Amino acid sequence: MLMTAGFAQLKVDDAMVEKLHRTGKDIPTPVQERAIPALLSGRDVIARAQTGVGKTLSFVVPLFSRIDPEKEYVQALILSPTRELAQQTAGEIRKLSDDSGIRTLTVSGGKDYEEEKRKLGNRAQVLVGTPGRLLDHLRKGNTSLGGVTYLVLDEVDEMLRQGFGEDIETLLSLMPQEHQTMMCSATLDEEVRKMGRRLTKNALLIDIAPKEATAATIEQICIKVNEEHKQEALATLIRRYNPFLMLVFCSSKERAVELNDWLYGQGFNTDVLHGDMSQTKRRQVMENFRKAKLQILVASDIAARGLDVEGITQVVNYDIPHDPEWYVHRIGRTGRAGNEGTAVTFYTADETRWLQNIEKKLSVTLERQNLAGEKVRRTIKPPRPKKKKVPKRGKSAVGPNKRGTKYAEASRKQKRK
Ligand code: ADP
Ligand code: MG
């Protein structure tokens, strides 16, 4: 019965169906349903979809039938914007490799240059890497792309945003004219479309609308805070949720470091991830987070982009993202593969317009809450004629919202006792 909707239906061979089954994957996700048959038939594919919809397997499954394990040269290349994503993707491939004789190598920068170089000599058939580092190796003659027939550009929009556009062009010039291409992107902005037109031929466009991908399984909440009280606000939130794994996004590396230091000082089990850390350190932090040795990870956008960590129960936008797409990416770290997750966005009075922009562009409504988790009414623009609401004492620095919160918190505490 299950099989009728399963991977077998997509012309995936029995051995692979069995391996997928062993890793808990029986039913293809919508993007897989459409990408896998197309890629198996040799067609180019552009998949526009938010995070968490299963894009990785949609190109990993067909990859296996595109590679001849007898041939000891690179046949498939997967480009990723970050080391972490490259390692994660390589991990997915290895999980399905067992006895296939297919070797996968990650080429992703950091300190292991010599190690990578040595391994490249051992002739992997699949390379997963960041464009810059891969180019380094190619320039030094450590490997060649002359036999690549299967190219995946994962998170193209992010690679372009990070300025990898030229490196990608150079890499392409080192590959055979004839090859199959799969592009994944969360967005289809002008640059991505241009690249898509240039790199693909008669591509199947799979467009999974953002709304489908997010709203369903992620509870989206926003809380109005004061910049000066943000740290305490987050501490309150953490104590209330006691999260299994919470990912907290800051707008910059500096803010992430500062917040992490503060949280750590408060006794929270927390660490930080940002783009300027050494690879070893980043890997260590990710590993600790994956294994839930860490409870809270404070991150800058770049570092956490595309990462798939199971079990993230809360994502907090400590700093509200100004770009609705970033919002989607960040909150996509929770509620993965249909699990439930909560996304909490902090915003200050000045940032209300960013919040409204997110809501408008994504056609979602974030539930207004206070720090105690109580629903608060949306503040509607034209205030009604003021009458009674005279503030009791002089205006407190924290504003009416927070005062309500304190009260609510106090009463909650009392109830508990
Ligand atoms: P994306 O690249 O679209 O952000 P991923 O490929 O990282 O998404 O997949 C998100 C999560 O969904 C991963 O944990 C993955 O193991 C899981 N997943 C993918 N496909 C399936 C499937 N067919 N059945 C169950 N879980 C899946
Ligand atoms: Mg992905």
Side-chain angles (χ1 to χ4, degrees), residues 7 24-29 32 50-57 88 92 154-155 306 308 310 333 336-337:
F7 283 96
K25 275 113 193 172
D26 292 309
I27 313 286
T29 66
Q32 290 160 6
Q50 305 306 324
T51 48
V53 302
K55 292 191 287 298
T56 316
L57 276 184
Q88 192 175 289
E92 289 292 313
D154 198 6
E155 306 216 352
D308 177 36
E310 268 177 48
R333 307 294 103 221
R336 308 285 278 173

Side-chain angles (χ1 to χ4, degrees), residues 122-138:
N122 292 346
R123 318 206 150 218
Q125 291 97 347
V126 183
L127 283 189
V128 190
T130 51
R133 183 54 164 259
L134 183 61
L135 259 187
D136 280 357
H137 281 293
L138 286 162

